[in-house]
Amino acid sequence: MTLDLSIITDNAGLFAQGAVATVYISVAAIISGLLIAFPVALLRLSPRRVMSWPAVAYVELFRNIPFIVMLSLFFYGLPFFGLRLQPMTTGIVALALFGSAYFAEIVRGAILSVPRGQMESARAIGMSYLRALREIIFPQMLRFFIPAATNTSISLVKESAVLATLSVAELTYQGLIVQGQTFAPFEVFLATATIYWGLTALLAAGFRTSERRLGGQARRGFSSRHRLAARYLSLEPEPRS
């Protein structure tokens, strides 16, 4: 048996189109999933059950159903309720909701990893809850959030291959097209696997760069205090007028 690389080179255009579609789907799903995850995580942390229970139900629903089953429910269920979307749009929505449940738990865990005294101190000097989250808690939670979010994002890239069942022209679907034309499954799926590896490696490298740039401040400590904190934490008394 010999490896026929011409099968890969002759169909490089199809592989490239599939890779671009996979990147588009994955990026859209990751960004949308993160935007959904933050409010879900904050609701999950609420001491009020009327707010936390719907968030718990949301997370458990989307985490405990296989993605291929969820995708089928969206694809066949939405038209039942009169909502018809393009297969790619349906896939992105399903993938974003699926990922948001995992992202929400990552955000919740990262927030809980920051010492509780940080929030209590911020509230004590007059910050609102949301302002304390934005300026005190979020910068410190990055070192806990980014590694786990990297793994989930990589998983979403790989789960995007399931959209081939809806005939979405992403990487796996294009690989199946080439395989059907050439009857050379080994070369085709070797190329497909290599491209997926390259995409996930680039994604992981991007997250590592973000961790160094954004998480470095949390590891080193804040270079400057918030002006409200500086007022109360200053070691020298303020001059009298």
Side-chain angles (χ1 to χ4, degrees), residues 125-144:
I125 63 173
M127 286 189 183
S128 67
Y129 179 73
L130 292 179
R131 190 176 187 181
L133 280 175
R134 184 179 70 251
E135 300 188 18
I136 303 298
I137 303 302
F138 284 168
Q140 296 184 74
M141 62 172 269
L142 289 174
R143 57 177 173 167
F144 306 107

Side-chain angles (χ1 to χ4, degrees), residues 100-233:
S100 68
Y102 292 89
F103 283 132
E105 285 298 279
I106 294 170
V107 172
R108 183 178 71 91
I111 291 175
L112 292 176
S113 298
V114 178
R116 183 178 297 180
Q118 296 288 313
M119 174 61 77
E120 294 174 350
S121 300
R123 298 286 284 160
I125 63 173
M127 286 189 183
S128 67
Y129 179 73
L130 292 179
R131 190 176 187 181
L133 280 175
R134 184 179 70 251
E135 300 188 18
I136 303 298
I137 303 302
F138 284 168
Q140 296 184 74
M141 62 172 269
L142 289 174
R143 57 177 173 167
F144 306 107
F145 170 78
I146 292 178
T150 302
N151 292 334
T152 299
S153 299
I154 289 173
S155 296
L156 292 182
V157 174
K158 294 186 292 185
E159 290 289 354
S160 69
V162 179
L163 271 63
T165 60
L166 304 185
S167 298
V168 175
E170 45 73 61
L171 182 57
T172 298
Y173 182 81
Q174 298 286 27
L176 291 172
I177 294 297
V178 175
Q179 190 271 333
Q181 294 174 346
T182 61
F183 301 100
F186 180 73
E187 289 86 350
V188 168
F189 289 110
L190 177 63
T192 303
T194 302
I195 296 172
Y196 273 116
W197 176 84
L199 294 178
T200 55
L202 288 174
L203 181 63
F207 271 101
R208 283 195 297 270
T209 301
S210 299
E211 183 178 13
R212 287 194 298 269
R213 291 181 178 179
L214 301 178
Q217 186 179 24
R219 290 192 296 269
R220 295 190 304 269
F222 295 110
S223 58
S224 61
R225 296 192 181 107
H226 186 276
R227 62 182 183 276
L228 196 57
R231 176 182 174 186
Y232 287 94
L233 299 177

Side-chain angles (χ1 to χ4, degrees), residues 5-19 171 178 191 195:
L5 295 179
S6 65
I7 294 174
I8 300 174
T9 56
D10 291 346
N11 295 280
L14 288 176
F15 286 117
Q17 292 174 16
L171 182 57
V178 175
I195 296 172

Side-chain angles (χ1 to χ4, degrees), residues 13-60:
L14 288 176
F15 286 117
Q17 292 174 16
V20 170
T22 294
V23 170
Y24 174 78
I25 292 167
S26 302
V27 170
I30 290 169
I31 293 175
S32 301
L34 286 171
L35 292 176
I36 298 169
F38 276 89
V40 171
L42 294 180
L43 290 174
R44 180 81 167 80
L45 291 169
S46 174
R48 299 181 181 180
R49 292 184 177 181
V50 69
M51 299 178 68
S52 64
W53 281 13
V56 172
Y58 176 91
V59 169
E60 294 303 318

